[in-house]
Amino acid sequence: MTNFGALVISESDFLSAEFMGKAEGGGPSETIDGNLWAMDQILKPRPRIYRLDTPLPDGVALHAQGLGLFEDVLFVVNHAYGAGGDRVERFRVSAGTPKTVLDPPLVLEYLSSIEASWASGLFINDVAPIGTSEFFVTAGLRVSEILARPYGFASLLPQIVAPKLRESRLFHCVDDLDNHTNCGPVGPRAVSWSGAVTSPSGALLYANDAFRKRVVAFEVTRETEGMELVERGALQLPHVVETISLDPTGPVSYTHLRAHETRGNLVCRLLLEK
């Protein structure tokens, strides 16, 4: 996530938090907080990286995952577990005034938190803002919960296409006039909505159904009853992909979805309207 010529990176140890018990030094309450980091001079041979000061309410942990940026507002999916629960944090990003080469190039100002009680026990993954106080969130089952189900890992692939596993949802959230965020499900269910991103105009939402290896393009329409997502295209991927990003230099159509592999790693290019 870039701003002011810098890259913002989220960091957290989900392997320890989800799959390791207390005896092994892991678990949600034992895993140490992650951080947000900034990297600048990214086109130079030796980029610089800085740990950011990430202000949060007292007692709230930080295990950051998905990031989203709209203008100067940074959205962060935060799995705070017992110290705050699943939530979306909002920060205002401003250029820093470094006094030395050790000072970060940007500063975060805490704005608000949106606790994900509306996700009904699902695990939120990514955030895709379309305004400074309006955004989409992907939510589904934790991987550890899927693998712990009675059918086990060996039969996971046949089972993920069954309707009983299509519990993952997309949510649309917006602040009302009282500065209270209202969130509700929108669009179809999926096996594993994971990554999400919107086009620069906010007219298109791209969501990644990770276990089905499928990226779906939705047209975002506003009806009298609320937000509606209309599927306009899809891309079948050769691999499981967790997160997606945009290619803002592409042509003007949501039908132009393509993927290619670079050194064995899948790169999904979503070519959007400008």
Side-chain angles (χ1 to χ4, degrees), residues 21-72:
K22 186 174 182 179
E24 294 81 25
S29 60
E30 287 74 30
T31 303
I32 62 173
D33 277 10
N35 297 290
L36 293 179
W37 299 78
M39 179 185 292
D40 69 354
Q41 299 185 1
I42 55 179
L43 298 181
K44 293 187 176 182
R46 295 185 179 181
R48 302 182 301 184
I49 187 167
Y50 308 83
R51 178 176 175 174
L52 293 175
D53 180 15
T54 311
L56 287 170
D58 290 342
V60 174
L62 178 64
H63 299 276
Q65 190 173 0
L67 304 177
L69 183 70
F70 188 90
E71 295 178 350
D72 63 346

Side-chain angles (χ1 to χ4, degrees), residues 53-56 72-74 90-94 106-112:
D53 180 15
T54 311
L56 287 170
D72 63 346
V73 177
L74 176 68
R90 293 173 62 248
F91 302 95
R92 190 172 307 283
V93 184
S94 59
L106 54 85
V107 176
L108 300 181
E109 173 193 355
Y110 173 78
L111 296 178
S112 67

Side-chain angles (χ1 to χ4, degrees), residues 76-92:
V76 180
V77 170
N78 180 15
H79 303 295
Y81 299 107
D86 265 13
R87 50 204 289 132
V88 176
E89 316 289 1
R90 293 173 62 248
F91 302 95
R92 190 172 307 283

